[in-house]
Amino acid sequence: MGSVFSPYYAWARRRAVPRGAADPHDHCALNVALYGETRRWAMTERGRAALRRDASSLAIGPSGLAWDGTTLTITIDETTVPVPSRLRGTVRVRPAALTGASFALDDAGLHLWRPIAPCAAVEVDLARPELAWRGHGYLDSNRGETPLESAFVSWDWSRAALTDGAAVLYHAIRRGAAGATDERALALRFDRGGGVTPFEAPHRIALPDTLWRVPRETRADTPDAMTVTETFEDSPFYARSLLTGTLLGEPVAAVHESLSLDRFAAPWVQAMLPFRMPRRR
C-alpha cells in the first residue's frame, strides 16, 4: 500500500497539491516473483476501490492475505508480465514466533523496519503453474513517511537461516543535509522464540556487480567467506541474489537484496517501470 516502487505513485506525488500529498491507498499491489526453471512475475497496481482490509485480513483485487493467529494465508490470483499468464495458488506462512521488535532506519524515525517473523515454515501450493514445495521463510514489514529515494542513497539486506534461528544484516547509506551521507548498519540474530540479539558485524565483502552494474556487498566471517551463487533478479536499480558461505561460524545460504535509490529515481528507470508494473483502475 503506497507502493514504494510505483511510478504511478511517484507521478501522483509530483502532481499533488500540496506537493507529495497523493493518496497511498490508491497505489496498492501484490508482488509475486517465482524463480527456478519456471519463472513468473506479477505486480499489478490497483486503486483504492480494489483495497479491502480489517484487523486480520487484507485484499488487493482478487488476491489477499488473512491471519488466523498462527498462519498467514496468502491467496494469489494475478496476471503475469511481460508475457500474460495466470499465477494462482496459496502460500501459507507459519511463524515460529513473532518478534514484536522494530528498528528505525533513519535518525528521524520516519522509516521503520519490523522483522515480524524471521523464522517461519512456508508451504507453497500453486495451481498455475502447477508447483508445490515446503521450506523455511521470513516475514517482515517496511513503513515510511517520506519517499524512499529522498531518505536513502542505497542499501543492502540479507537473511540467512541458522541452526537455531536466523541472522539478518542491514546496511543503508542515508541522505543528509547539503548532499552529505551517513551509514546505518544492523547485524541481528533471532532465535526461534522471537528473541533478538545484536552482534558485531563481521567482515565487509564486496560482491560482483550485476549485469546492470548495481553494486552488491555483504558481510561474512572472513573476507572471502561469501559468494554469489545465483542472481534471481537483475534490474537497473535492484538485485535479488542467493549467497552461500559462512556466517557466525555456520555454513549458510542467504537471500540478499541490493537497492540503488539514485538509479530508481532516474527518469529513464521510471519510464521503464510500467512494463513490469501495469495498473488497473
Side-chain angles (χ1 to χ4, degrees):
M1 293 173 289
S3 183
V4 170
F5 300 123
S6 166
Y8 314 101
Y9 190 24
W11 298 336
R13 292 197 305 269
R14 287 196 290 268
R15 293 194 302 266
V17 180
R19 185 175 176 85
D23 179 7
H25 297 107
D26 200 40
H27 304 276
C28 306
L30 183 79
N31 178 212
V32 184
L34 180 63
Y35 304 116
E37 293 182 4
T38 302
R39 296 180 65 91
R40 298 286 190 276
W41 172 275
M43 194 173 185
T44 299
E45 181 173 290
R46 293 177 168 88
R48 172 182 279 276
L51 174 66
R52 302 173 303 282
R53 63 174 176 163
D54 57 29
S56 60
S57 66
L58 167 68
I60 301 173
S63 300
L65 298 83
W67 171 252
D68 65 5
T70 61
T71 302
L72 178 68
T73 300
I74 306 167
T75 303
I76 301 166
D77 187 359
E78 297 291 324
T79 300
T80 65
V81 291
V83 178
S85 67
R86 300 305 298 173
L87 185 54
R88 289 177 177 163
T90 302
V91 178
R92 292 179 177 86
V93 182
R94 295 187 172 91
L98 304 179
T99 64
S102 62
F103 299 85
L105 300 178
D106 64 322
D107 289 336
L110 299 178
H111 291 268
L112 299 177
W113 166 63
R114 182 183 174 194
I116 299 170
C119 306
V122 178
E123 300 176 3
V124 180
D125 291 290
L126 299 180
R128 299 186 63 181
E130 189 175 349
L131 291 169
W133 70 88
R134 308 288 182 268
H136 61 84
Y138 169 89
L139 179 68
D140 74 350
S141 172
N142 283 81
R143 179 174 182 268
E145 300 293 334
T146 63
L148 206 58
E149 64 270 22
S150 68
F152 300 94
V153 175
S154 62
W155 76 33
D156 282 276
W157 171 97
S158 67
R159 180 264 185 186
L162 301 174
T163 303
D164 60 353
V168 174
L169 299 170
Y170 232 122
H171 179 250
I173 299 177
R174 305 181 294 189
R175 296 191 195 278
T181 62
D182 67 354
E183 299 184 11
R184 169 72 157 131
L186 295 172
L188 303 170
R189 185 168 188 160
F190 298 90
D191 61 43
R192 295 187 179 279
V196 54
T197 305
F199 65 93
E200 184 176 354
H203 292 273
R204 196 164 172 174
I205 297 175
L207 301 169
D209 290 353
T210 68
L211 292 176
W212 280 100
R213 311 307 298 170
V214 173
R216 291 183 286 194
E217 65 175 44
T218 190
R219 292 180 181 268
D221 288 352
T222 63
D224 58 353
M226 199 72 70
T227 59
V228 177
T229 302
E230 187 173 357
T231 299
F232 295 129
E233 200 71 50
D234 187 352
S235 80
F237 68 93
Y238 172 83
R240 182 180 292 144
S241 312
L242 176 66
L243 309 183
T244 54
T246 59
L247 182 64
L248 295 172
E250 293 189 31
V252 298
V255 173
H256 178 273
E257 297 179 323
S258 292
L259 174 63
S260 170
L261 278 310
D262 283 347
R263 279 280 192 90
F264 169 71
W268 65 274
V269 173
Q270 290 287 309
M272 296 172 66
L273 290 176
F275 293 98
R276 297 293 300 275
M277 190 176 188
R279 177 174 170 88
R280 290 187 178 179
R281 297 190 177 278

